[in-house]
Amino acid sequence: MLNNNYRLFVLLGMLLLVAVALSLALGPVSISLDNLAKVLGRNLGFRVDSTPALEQAQLIVSQIRLPRALLGLAVGAVLALTGVAMQGLFRNPLADPGLIGVSSGAALGAAVAIVGGAMLGGIPDALSPYILSICAFTGGLGVTALVYRLGRRDGQTHVATMLLAGIALTALAGAAIGLFTYLADDATLRTLTFWNLGSLNGASYARLWPLLLITCAVALWLPRRAKALNALLLGESEARHLGFSVEKLKGELVFCTALGVGAAVAAAGMIGFVGLVVPHVLRLAVGPDHRVLLPAAALAGASLLLFADLAARLVLAPAEMPIGIVTALIGAPFFLYLLLKSRF
């Protein structure tokens, strides 16, 4: 078993390295692996002789592709990690982080910022990305907090009630987003539509660091609860008898998911199916042990989003396809396959 896990992590690590290298090298201007290695070496402090091609590669990689790759890595990892957490909390391999309303809440926050800002005379261009991210993050946290509150009764969190509350509030947020869409003019409607489809196009170091810090916190915290998640698979009563504080664990999982998904959606827009497909595939491959599942999901989720971003950039080049379309094209057929498999 240890050898199998070791081979799995080596394979996923190599897959991630390939995804990062291709993400940095390929695009409207292709960069050779030799120049890419020199650029990375120079960024690490090594002395490299300058050439015109190397200077061009340095500019493209450092200013455009590296922050974009890091953003894709962080978004993919945190969506997959929180997907594992939600599937563990609901004890359902088809659960998704969006079930607790965080994605719809973030989308509503973004709609308020985009359409509401335009109605108030427009947001200054320099502040627009930050206000949009803050509103989306706040909306995600707000809706999730309301879902969690509705799921609490007599000092206990009822996951079934929380699930129903999440469905209801997601529908309500969808109606509010529809109203903002109806009120939007052509320019804001286009901005809102593209934001809802997800993209890594707006990556910058200023927007990246908050998400990286939150992703690192989630990636460090969730594995510390792997044993408790394993016990929760046996049932809440069994987990309590084994000495785990189930109510505290539920609150921590919801908070962690709201924080991670809210930050990811605020930075890159709505990107679906990563939190559903990656944990489910890995659970089929390596089993339900969260000590293995969580780190493997982080590596696989980051790789999947980088490859999806590559496809979004290259398939219709020089135009760029929203990454949410690519992940939906991958995830929706897989979800239907799961439904058919469970039915028949």
Side-chain angles (χ1 to χ4, degrees):
M1 182 62 76
L2 287 176
N3 287 336
N4 290 339
N5 292 339
Y6 176 77
R7 282 196 289 269
L8 171 72
F9 287 119
V10 169
L11 179 65
L12 291 175
M14 292 175 62
L15 186 67
L16 183 59
L17 287 177
V18 171
V20 171
L22 292 177
S23 183
L24 296 178
L26 299 180
V29 177
S30 296
I31 297 172
S32 67
L33 290 179
D34 180 50
N35 276 339
L36 179 59
K38 289 178 180 177
V39 169
L40 296 178
R42 179 185 278 184
N43 288 344
L44 292 174
F46 293 100
R47 184 174 179 179
V48 179
D49 292 336
S50 176
T51 64
L54 181 60
E55 293 304 320
Q56 183 190 39
Q58 175 84 46
L59 182 64
I60 293 173
V61 171
S62 300
Q63 300 300 319
I64 301 174
R65 294 185 188 170
L66 184 58
R68 184 173 183 134
L70 290 173
L71 180 63
L73 190 152
V75 170
V78 80
L79 289 178
L81 279 168
T82 53
V84 174
M86 286 298 97
Q87 290 178 6
L89 174 64
F90 289 104
R91 299 199 295 280
N92 188 329
L94 299 182
D96 181 90
L99 284 178
I100 58 172
V102 59
S103 300
S104 57
L108 178 58
V112 171
I114 294 170
V115 182
M119 288 179 173
L120 294 175
I123 302 171
D125 291 340
L127 298 178
S128 179
Y130 301 102
I131 291 179
L132 175 60
S133 298
I134 291 171
C135 288
F137 185 65
T138 306
L141 284 185
V143 172
T144 306
L146 186 55
V147 168
Y148 181 69
R149 181 67 187 86
L150 291 171
R152 296 275 296 173
R153 191 169 64 244
D154 300 328
Q156 292 191 335
T157 305
H158 300 267
V159 291
T161 306
M162 200 164 64
L163 174 63
L164 295 174
I167 293 172
L169 288 179
T170 295
L172 189 60
I177 294 169
L179 178 61
F180 279 109
T181 303
Y182 177 75
L183 295 174
D185 58 26
D186 289 344
T188 52
L189 179 61
R190 182 178 176 82
T191 303
L192 182 59
T193 301
F194 274 91
W195 190 88
N196 280 329
L197 292 174
S199 175
L200 303 183
N201 193 30
S204 66
Y205 290 111
R207 296 178 66 182
L208 176 63
W209 295 123
L211 175 62
L212 278 181
L213 290 175
I214 290 175
T215 301
C216 289
V218 172
L220 290 174
W221 182 87
L222 280 180
R224 293 169 61 86
R225 295 293 180 267
K227 291 183 179 178
L229 281 166
N230 286 343
L232 196 60
L233 291 178
L234 302 173
E236 293 186 15
S237 299
E238 288 78 2
R240 288 191 187 93
H241 290 150
L242 289 172
F244 295 103
S245 176
V246 174
E247 291 306 314
K248 181 181 177 184
L249 175 65
K250 290 177 183 175
E252 291 175 346
L253 291 176
V254 170
F255 175 74
C256 208
T257 300
L259 199 64
V261 177
V265 176
M270 301 283 285
I271 299 175
F273 290 104
V274 177
L276 168 66
V277 172
V278 173
H280 195 85
V281 170
L282 286 173
R283 185 174 283 103
L284 292 175
V286 303
D289 188 348
H290 289 85
R291 292 173 299 177
V292 179
L293 195 54
L294 284 164
L299 293 171
S303 301
L304 174 63
L305 208 64
L306 289 179
F307 281 121
D309 183 51
L310 264 179
R313 282 190 284 150
L314 298 179
V315 169
L316 298 179
E320 182 177 322
M321 191 163 47
I323 193 171
I325 294 178
V326 180
T327 57
L329 287 174
I330 297 172
F334 182 75
F335 190 71
L336 289 173
Y337 163 74
L338 294 178
L339 289 177
L340 292 173
K341 185 179 178 183
S342 62
R343 180 178 178 183
F344 300 109

